[in-house]
Amino acid sequence: MNSAELKIKAAQIRMDLLRMIHGAKTGHTGGSLSNTDILTALYYRVMNIDPARPKWEDRDRFIASKGHSVESLWCILADLGFFPKEELKTFSQFGTRLIGHPNNKVPGIEMNTGALGHGLAISVGMALAAKRDGRGYRVFCLMGDGEQAEGSVWEAAMAGAHYKLDNLVGIIDRNRLQISGSTEDVMGLEPLEEKWAAFGWHVVSVDGNDVDELVRVFEEAPAAAGKPTLVMANTVKGKGVSFAENVPHWHHHVPNDEELAQALAELSAAAEAWKQEGQVR
């Protein structure tokens, strides 16, 4: 996909996840909207994957350590054909596979995640296995910024640098809000980039809602031989929905009928604008 196509796809995924959350009457809306551009860049442009062979040994791996924001991931996996799109209507319903966190009973999901602080350690193990088995796949791990308060994140960070895992890319969805408010009020993180650099990682800061920047950084990894990469993706919580952006209440707010209609109208207009931009270019 080119730049305009990626932006249009991200808008479509945001519309899908809002419909899904609205129908289920539950979900983590704000974080899923903020991470959509990250996942769109990875799944539609960067990662080497095959929906027809979800267990292909040389596939790139993605671990959603911030597993509570799974809605965008479910919508992308369905859109790519890992499972039928119709199944999105069962999200968080009794007996569904599509629960509120990644579930490895679903094709395309590597590990059950959601208990924050575990995803990076899992990713370190996968990346180390690739090195020792002589395989060329990369491992991408998406973390939340509130998750950085977990000590296990930093243990895994030390291990990733120690084993020189330059096939590992950690991504922080740095939207600066968590369930109880600002990350800096709950548990101050700054200077976060310097901390990761001190732990031996190659740190790159990007606009996490700019698919062009994200693609460039992801495709350049590893930019430093012998070092894992940490992408500080500076995002806006609730991105794409004007009245949800940077509003803590939208962490797990379910849109009502009126809010859904307004959000879909905004996203549809944005997609149409990007479509016109793509045609002009």
Side-chain angles (χ1 to χ4, degrees):
M1 286 188 176
N2 62 32
S3 174
E5 289 169 335
L6 287 169
K7 292 171 184 176
I8 292 166
K9 179 59 69 176
Q12 292 169 343
I13 294 300
R14 285 186 168 98
M15 288 189 276
D16 286 344
L17 74 86
L18 286 167
R19 292 188 187 100
M20 187 176 69
I21 290 171
H22 175 264
K25 295 180 171 47
T26 187
H28 286 82
T29 310
S32 288
L33 289 170
S34 71
N35 74 30
T36 296
D37 298 301
I38 297 168
L39 297 187
T40 299
L42 286 173
Y43 275 91
Y44 293 95
R45 182 71 174 268
V46 175
M47 289 201 305
N48 191 18
I49 55 173
D50 183 355
R53 296 183 295 161
K55 294 299 184 182
W56 174 40
E57 288 189 355
D58 289 321
R59 71 192 181 280
D60 287 334
R61 273 70 165 168
F62 174 76
I63 300 295
S65 191
K66 57 169 295 184
H68 57 282
S69 295
V70 72
E71 291 83 359
S72 48
L73 180 57
W74 286 145
C75 291
I76 286 173
L77 292 178
D79 185 64
L80 289 171
F82 281 91
F83 60 86
K85 201 165 184 178
E86 188 72 11
E87 194 171 345
L88 293 176
K89 294 179 181 178
T90 72
F91 173 62
S92 285
Q93 305 303 303
F94 179 75
T96 186
R97 298 188 298 175
L98 306 185
I99 57 178
H101 292 83
N103 167 24
N104 65 3
K105 298 291 192 294
V106 180
I109 299 295
E110 303 290 346
M111 293 291 296
N112 297 345
T113 54
L116 296 176
H118 297 288
L120 188 62
I122 294 167
S123 300
V124 166
M126 289 179 171
L128 183 58
K131 288 284 189 183
R132 293 188 171 179
D133 291 344
R135 297 194 173 276
Y137 63 79
R138 289 185 295 173
V139 183
F140 297 87
C141 177
L142 178 64
M143 297 172 279
D145 48 8
E147 184 177 1
Q148 304 305 295
E150 300 283 355
S152 52
V153 169
W154 300 99
E155 294 179 57
M158 281 192 291
H162 175 78
Y163 290 108
K164 303 184 186 331
L165 300 179
D166 52 12
N167 57 343
L168 173 62
V169 180
I171 309 157
I172 298 177
D173 184 4
R174 186 71 170 113
N175 59 39
R176 292 173 170 77
L177 290 174
Q178 57 191 100
I179 189 170
S180 47
S182 162
T183 56
E184 300 314 294
D185 291 338
V186 176
M187 180 65 70
L189 300 175
E190 297 296 345
L192 190 54
E193 291 179 33
E194 287 85 345
K195 288 175 182 175
W196 278 90
F199 271 68
W201 288 57
H202 175 70
V203 179
V204 185
S205 181
V206 300
D207 179 344
N209 294 127
D210 185 327
V211 291
D212 296 323
E213 280 196 42
L214 290 163
V215 167
R216 175 184 58 79
V217 168
F218 291 147
E219 288 185 339
E220 287 176 353
K227 282 189 172 186
T229 297
L230 189 283
V231 177
M232 191 69 66
N234 295 288
T235 63
V236 174
K237 196 154 191 170
K239 179 67 177 179
V241 178
S242 62
F243 51 91
E245 291 186 353
N246 288 318
V247 179
H249 172 63
W250 277 83
H251 180 86
H252 51 44
H253 175 70
V254 175
N256 59 33
D257 293 350
E258 181 181 348
E259 290 168 335
L260 177 66
Q262 183 179 344
L264 294 179
E266 290 183 8
L267 290 163
S268 180
E272 184 59 31
W274 286 316
K275 182 178 179 181
Q276 296 301 321
E277 179 185 338
Q279 289 175 346
V280 169
R281 289 183 177 178

PDB file of all heavy atoms in Angstrom, residues 66-89:
ATOM      1  N   LYS A  66       0.294  -4.496  25.224  1.00  0.00           N
ATOM      2  CA  LYS A  66      -0.852  -3.734  25.745  1.00  0.00           C
ATOM      3  C   LYS A  66      -2.119  -4.383  25.174  1.00  0.00           C
ATOM      4  O   LYS A  66      -2.829  -3.830  24.327  1.00  0.00           O
ATOM      5  CB  LYS A  66      -0.747  -2.249  25.424  1.00  0.00           C
ATOM      6  CG  LYS A  66      -0.613  -1.858  23.974  1.00  0.00           C
ATOM      7  CD  LYS A  66      -0.791  -0.348  23.766  1.00  0.00           C
ATOM      8  CE  LYS A  66      -2.173   0.116  24.102  1.00  0.00           C
ATOM      9  NZ  LYS A  66      -2.419   1.556  23.837  1.00  0.00           N
ATOM     10  N   GLY A  67      -2.387  -5.567  25.694  1.00  0.00           N
ATOM     11  CA  GLY A  67      -3.425  -6.412  25.120  1.00  0.00           C
ATOM     12  C   GLY A  67      -4.835  -5.909  25.299  1.00  0.00           C
ATOM     13  O   GLY A  67      -5.746  -6.338  24.577  1.00  0.00           O
ATOM     14  N   HIS A  68      -5.049  -4.979  26.235  1.00  0.00           N
ATOM     15  CA  HIS A  68      -6.405  -4.471  26.429  1.00  0.00           C
ATOM     16  C   HIS A  68      -6.876  -3.647  25.243  1.00  0.00           C
ATOM     17  O   HIS A  68      -8.084  -3.492  25.038  1.00  0.00           O
ATOM     18  CB  HIS A  68      -6.490  -3.642  27.717  1.00  0.00           C
ATOM     19  CG  HIS A  68      -5.540  -2.501  27.774  1.00  0.00           C
ATOM     20  ND1 HIS A  68      -4.210  -2.663  28.066  1.00  0.00           N
ATOM     21  CD2 HIS A  68      -5.722  -1.176  27.567  1.00  0.00           C
ATOM     22  CE1 HIS A  68      -3.609  -1.485  28.047  1.00  0.00           C
ATOM     23  NE2 HIS A  68      -4.512  -0.559  27.736  1.00  0.00           N
ATOM     24  N   SER A  69      -5.944  -3.132  24.440  1.00  0.00           N
ATOM     25  CA  SER A  69      -6.320  -2.372  23.241  1.00  0.00           C
ATOM     26  C   SER A  69      -6.319  -3.288  22.022  1.00  0.00           C
ATOM     27  O   SER A  69      -5.703  -2.987  21.000  1.00  0.00           O
ATOM     28  CB  SER A  69      -5.363  -1.194  23.043  1.00  0.00           C
ATOM     29  OG  SER A  69      -5.488  -0.264  24.097  1.00  0.00           O
ATOM     30  N   VAL A  70      -7.018  -4.394  22.135  1.00  0.00           N
ATOM     31  CA  VAL A  70      -6.996  -5.437  21.109  1.00  0.00           C
ATOM     32  C   VAL A  70      -7.930  -5.140  19.943  1.00  0.00           C
ATOM     33  O   VAL A  70      -7.840  -5.777  18.893  1.00  0.00           O
ATOM     34  CB  VAL A  70      -7.353  -6.801  21.741  1.00  0.00           C
ATOM     35  CG1 VAL A  70      -8.844  -6.869  22.094  1.00  0.00           C
ATOM     36  CG2 VAL A  70      -6.961  -7.956  20.838  1.00  0.00           C
ATOM     37  N   GLU A  71      -8.853  -4.212  20.110  1.00  0.00           N
ATOM     38  CA  GLU A  71      -9.905  -4.032  19.114  1.00  0.00           C
ATOM     39  C   GLU A  71      -9.362  -3.723  17.722  1.00  0.00           C
ATOM     40  O   GLU A  71      -9.835  -4.265  16.712  1.00  0.00           O
ATOM     41  CB  GLU A  71     -10.875  -2.930  19.565  1.00  0.00           C
ATOM     42  CG  GLU A  71     -11.717  -3.303  20.772  1.00  0.00           C
ATOM     43  CD  GLU A  71     -11.011  -3.096  22.102  1.00  0.00           C
ATOM     44  OE1 GLU A  71      -9.831  -2.666  22.099  1.00  0.00           O
ATOM     45  OE2 GLU A  71     -11.633  -3.350  23.153  1.00  0.00           O
ATOM     46  N   SER A  72      -8.372  -2.850  17.630  1.00  0.00           N
ATOM     47  CA  SER A  72      -7.781  -2.550  16.327  1.00  0.00           C
ATOM     48  C   SER A  72      -7.116  -3.784  15.739  1.00  0.00           C
ATOM     49  O   SER A  72      -7.177  -4.017  14.518  1.00  0.00           O
ATOM     50  CB  SER A  72      -6.766  -1.411  16.461  1.00  0.00           C
ATOM     51  OG  SER A  72      -5.895  -1.637  17.549  1.00  0.00           O
ATOM     52  N   LEU A  73      -6.494  -4.592  16.571  1.00  0.00           N
ATOM     53  CA  LEU A  73      -5.844  -5.816  16.089  1.00  0.00           C
ATOM     54  C   LEU A  73      -6.864  -6.810  15.559  1.00  0.00           C
ATOM     55  O   LEU A  73      -6.670  -7.406  14.493  1.00  0.00           O
ATOM     56  CB  LEU A  73      -5.021  -6.439  17.221  1.00  0.00           C
ATOM     57  CG  LEU A  73      -4.272  -7.733  16.882  1.00  0.00           C
ATOM     58  CD1 LEU A  73      -3.333  -7.540  15.705  1.00  0.00           C
ATOM     59  CD2 LEU A  73      -3.500  -8.233  18.104  1.00  0.00           C
ATOM     60  N   TRP A  74      -7.987  -7.002  16.282  1.00  0.00           N
ATOM     61  CA  TRP A  74      -9.026  -7.911  15.778  1.00  0.00           C
ATOM     62  C   TRP A  74      -9.507  -7.456  14.408  1.00  0.00           C
ATOM     63  O   TRP A  74      -9.673  -8.271  13.493  1.00  0.00           O
ATOM     64  CB  TRP A  74     -10.202  -7.968  16.737  1.00  0.00           C
ATOM     65  CG  TRP A  74     -10.047  -8.717  18.024  1.00  0.00           C
ATOM     66  CD1 TRP A  74     -10.603  -8.385  19.233  1.00  0.00           C
ATOM     67  CD2 TRP A  74      -9.326  -9.935  18.266  1.00  0.00           C
ATOM     68  NE1 TRP A  74     -10.267  -9.303  20.196  1.00  0.00           N
ATOM     69  CE2 TRP A  74      -9.482 -10.266  19.631  1.00  0.00           C
ATOM     70  CE3 TRP A  74      -8.536 -10.759  17.461  1.00  0.00           C
ATOM     71  CZ2 TRP A  74      -8.900 -11.405  20.205  1.00  0.00           C
ATOM     72  CZ3 TRP A  74      -7.945 -11.886  18.033  1.00  0.00           C
ATOM     73  CH2 TRP A  74      -8.137 -12.191  19.382  1.00  0.00           C
ATOM     74  N   CYS A  75      -9.730  -6.162  14.254  1.00  0.00           N
ATOM     75  CA  CYS A  75     -10.262  -5.652  12.981  1.00  0.00           C
ATOM     76  C   CYS A  75      -9.270  -5.838  11.839  1.00  0.00           C
ATOM     77  O   CYS A  75      -9.664  -6.164  10.712  1.00  0.00           O
ATOM     78  CB  CYS A  75     -10.646  -4.186  13.131  1.00  0.00           C
ATOM     79  SG  CYS A  75     -12.084  -3.928  14.198  1.00  0.00           S
ATOM     80  N   ILE A  76      -7.998  -5.656  12.125  1.00  0.00           N
ATOM     81  CA  ILE A  76      -6.979  -5.829  11.086  1.00  0.00           C
ATOM     82  C   ILE A  76      -6.836  -7.301  10.707  1.00  0.00           C
ATOM     83  O   ILE A  76      -6.759  -7.648   9.514  1.00  0.00           O
ATOM     84  CB  ILE A  76      -5.638  -5.231  11.555  1.00  0.00           C
ATOM     85  CG1 ILE A  76      -5.710  -3.699  11.494  1.00  0.00           C
ATOM     86  CG2 ILE A  76      -4.472  -5.744  10.716  1.00  0.00           C
ATOM     87  CD1 ILE A  76      -4.515  -2.991  12.094  1.00  0.00           C
ATOM     88  N   LEU A  77      -6.788  -8.184  11.679  1.00  0.00           N
ATOM     89  CA  LEU A  77      -6.663  -9.611  11.368  1.00  0.00           C
ATOM     90  C   LEU A  77      -7.849 -10.095  10.542  1.00  0.00           C
ATOM     91  O   LEU A  77      -7.683 -10.887   9.602  1.00  0.00           O
ATOM     92  CB  LEU A  77      -6.534 -10.428  12.658  1.00  0.00           C
ATOM     93  CG  LEU A  77      -5.236 -10.231  13.459  1.00  0.00           C
ATOM     94  CD1 LEU A  77      -5.267 -11.078  14.732  1.00  0.00           C
ATOM     95  CD2 LEU A  77      -4.000 -10.579  12.619  1.00  0.00           C
ATOM     96  N   ALA A  78      -9.047  -9.622  10.878  1.00  0.00           N
ATOM     97  CA  ALA A  78     -10.230  -9.998  10.104  1.00  0.00           C
ATOM     98  C   ALA A  78     -10.148  -9.432   8.692  1.00  0.00           C
ATOM     99  O   ALA A  78     -10.457 -10.126   7.706  1.00  0.00           O
ATOM    100  CB  ALA A  78     -11.495  -9.509  10.802  1.00  0.00           C
ATOM    101  N   ASP A  79      -9.727  -8.192   8.569  1.00  0.00           N
ATOM    102  CA  ASP A  79      -9.625  -7.548   7.259  1.00  0.00           C
ATOM    103  C   ASP A  79      -8.623  -8.270   6.365  1.00  0.00           C
ATOM    104  O   ASP A  79      -8.830  -8.374   5.152  1.00  0.00           O
ATOM    105  CB  ASP A  79      -9.218  -6.089   7.438  1.00  0.00           C
ATOM    106  CG  ASP A  79      -9.211  -5.322   6.131  1.00  0.00           C
ATOM    107  OD1 ASP A  79     -10.295  -5.172   5.526  1.00  0.00           O
ATOM    108  OD2 ASP A  79      -8.123  -4.873   5.707  1.00  0.00           O
ATOM    109  N   LEU A  80      -7.558  -8.801   6.957  1.00  0.00           N
ATOM    110  CA  LEU A  80      -6.537  -9.510   6.188  1.00  0.00           C
ATOM    111  C   LEU A  80      -6.916 -10.957   5.892  1.00  0.00           C
ATOM    112  O   LEU A  80      -6.239 -11.617   5.106  1.00  0.00           O
ATOM    113  CB  LEU A  80      -5.203  -9.472   6.938  1.00  0.00           C
ATOM    114  CG  LEU A  80      -4.503  -8.112   6.972  1.00  0.00           C
ATOM    115  CD1 LEU A  80      -3.319  -8.145   7.924  1.00  0.00           C
ATOM    116  CD2 LEU A  80      -4.043  -7.700   5.573  1.00  0.00           C
ATOM    117  N   GLY A  81      -7.957 -11.458   6.530  1.00  0.00           N
ATOM    118  CA  GLY A  81      -8.415 -12.814   6.241  1.00  0.00           C
ATOM    119  C   GLY A  81      -7.911 -13.887   7.174  1.00  0.00           C
ATOM    120  O   GLY A  81      -8.012 -15.081   6.872  1.00  0.00           O
ATOM    121  N   PHE A  82      -7.396 -13.512   8.346  1.00  0.00           N
ATOM    122  CA  PHE A  82      -6.998 -14.520   9.322  1.00  0.00           C
ATOM    123  C   PHE A  82      -8.220 -15.256   9.879  1.00  0.00           C
ATOM    124  O   PHE A  82      -8.127 -16.406  10.289  1.00  0.00           O
ATOM    125  CB  PHE A  82      -6.214 -13.880  10.470  1.00  0.00           C
ATOM    126  CG  PHE A  82      -4.780 -13.583  10.141  1.00  0.00           C
ATOM    127  CD1 PHE A  82      -4.393 -12.356   9.622  1.00  0.00           C
ATOM    128  CD2 PHE A  82      -3.797 -14.549  10.335  1.00  0.00           C
ATOM    129  CE1 PHE A  82      -3.072 -12.079   9.317  1.00  0.00           C
ATOM    130  CE2 PHE A  82      -2.465 -14.292  10.043  1.00  0.00           C
ATOM    131  CZ  PHE A  82      -2.101 -13.052   9.521  1.00  0.00           C
ATOM    132  N   PHE A  83      -9.360 -14.571   9.914  1.00  0.00           N
ATOM    133  CA  PHE A  83     -10.630 -15.186  10.302  1.00  0.00           C
ATOM    134  C   PHE A  83     -11.744 -14.373   9.642  1.00  0.00           C
ATOM    135  O   PHE A  83     -11.514 -13.240   9.188  1.00  0.00           O
ATOM    136  CB  PHE A  83     -10.788 -15.262  11.827  1.00  0.00           C
ATOM    137  CG  PHE A  83     -10.748 -13.935  12.534  1.00  0.00           C
ATOM    138  CD1 PHE A  83     -11.895 -13.162  12.676  1.00  0.00           C
ATOM    139  CD2 PHE A  83      -9.561 -13.449  13.073  1.00  0.00           C
ATOM    140  CE1 PHE A  83     -11.872 -11.941  13.338  1.00  0.00           C
ATOM    141  CE2 PHE A  83      -9.513 -12.230  13.732  1.00  0.00           C
ATOM    142  CZ  PHE A  83     -10.677 -11.472  13.863  1.00  0.00           C
ATOM    143  N   PRO A  84     -12.953 -14.894   9.558  1.00  0.00           N
ATOM    144  CA  PRO A  84     -14.028 -14.190   8.853  1.00  0.00           C
ATOM    145  C   PRO A  84     -14.391 -12.864   9.517  1.00  0.00           C
ATOM    146  O   PRO A  84     -14.518 -12.776  10.738  1.00  0.00           O
ATOM    147  CB  PRO A  84     -15.204 -15.176   8.931  1.00  0.00           C
ATOM    148  CG  PRO A  84     -14.574 -16.499   9.166  1.00  0.00           C
ATOM    149  CD  PRO A  84     -13.353 -16.245   9.994  1.00  0.00           C
ATOM    150  N   LYS A  85     -14.573 -11.845   8.705  1.00  0.00           N
ATOM    151  CA  LYS A  85     -14.900 -10.523   9.228  1.00  0.00           C
ATOM    152  C   LYS A  85     -16.229 -10.532   9.975  1.00  0.00           C
ATOM    153  O   LYS A  85     -16.437  -9.762  10.913  1.00  0.00           O
ATOM    154  CB  LYS A  85     -14.936  -9.503   8.092  1.00  0.00           C
ATOM    155  CG  LYS A  85     -14.774  -8.071   8.550  1.00  0.00           C
ATOM    156  CD  LYS A  85     -14.457  -7.145   7.393  1.00  0.00           C
ATOM    157  CE  LYS A  85     -14.199  -5.736   7.900  1.00  0.00           C
ATOM    158  NZ  LYS A  85     -13.845  -4.801   6.796  1.00  0.00           N
ATOM    159  N   GLU A  86     -17.126 -11.413   9.587  1.00  0.00           N
ATOM    160  CA  GLU A  86     -18.425 -11.520  10.248  1.00  0.00           C
ATOM    161  C   GLU A  86     -18.266 -11.826  11.739  1.00  0.00           C
ATOM    162  O   GLU A  86     -19.115 -11.469  12.560  1.00  0.00           O
ATOM    163  CB  GLU A  86     -19.247 -12.620   9.568  1.00  0.00           C
ATOM    164  CG  GLU A  86     -20.681 -12.716  10.018  1.00  0.00           C
ATOM    165  CD  GLU A  86     -21.555 -11.575   9.523  1.00  0.00           C
ATOM    166  OE1 GLU A  86     -21.100 -10.810   8.650  1.00  0.00           O
ATOM    167  OE2 GLU A  86     -22.681 -11.448  10.032  1.00  0.00           O
ATOM    168  N   GLU A  87     -17.151 -12.470  12.088  1.00  0.00           N
ATOM    169  CA  GLU A  87     -16.925 -12.862  13.482  1.00  0.00           C
ATOM    170  C   GLU A  87     -16.717 -11.657  14.397  1.00  0.00           C
ATOM    171  O   GLU A  87     -16.877 -11.767  15.624  1.00  0.00           O
ATOM    172  CB  GLU A  87     -15.726 -13.813  13.565  1.00  0.00           C
ATOM    173  CG  GLU A  87     -15.606 -14.542  14.887  1.00  0.00           C
ATOM    174  CD  GLU A  87     -14.544 -15.641  14.873  1.00  0.00           C
ATOM    175  OE1 GLU A  87     -14.086 -16.032  13.781  1.00  0.00           O
ATOM    176  OE2 GLU A  87     -14.176 -16.107  15.974  1.00  0.00           O
ATOM    177  N   LEU A  88     -16.383 -10.502  13.837  1.00  0.00           N
ATOM    178  CA  LEU A  88     -16.211  -9.300  14.652  1.00  0.00           C
ATOM    179  C   LEU A  88     -17.485  -8.963  15.431  1.00  0.00           C
ATOM    180  O   LEU A  88     -17.424  -8.351  16.496  1.00  0.00           O
ATOM    181  CB  LEU A  88     -15.822  -8.106  13.778  1.00  0.00           C
ATOM    182  CG  LEU A  88     -14.444  -8.163  13.110  1.00  0.00           C
ATOM    183  CD1 LEU A  88     -14.246  -6.956  12.206  1.00  0.00           C
ATOM    184  CD2 LEU A  88     -13.321  -8.254  14.134  1.00  0.00           C
ATOM    185  N   LYS A  89     -18.631  -9.379  14.908  1.00  0.00           N
ATOM    186  CA  LYS A  89     -19.902  -9.108  15.584  1.00  0.00           C
ATOM    187  C   LYS A  89     -20.037  -9.874  16.894  1.00  0.00           C
ATOM    188  O   LYS A  89     -20.906  -9.559  17.706  1.00  0.00           O
ATOM    189  CB  LYS A  89     -21.070  -9.458  14.660  1.00  0.00           C
ATOM    190  CG  LYS A  89     -21.162  -8.583  13.433  1.00  0.00           C
ATOM    191  CD  LYS A  89     -22.327  -9.005  12.534  1.00  0.00           C
ATOM    192  CE  LYS A  89     -22.395  -8.143  11.282  1.00  0.00           C
ATOM    193  NZ  LYS A  89     -23.496  -8.580  10.376  1.00  0.00           N
TER     194      LYS A  89
END
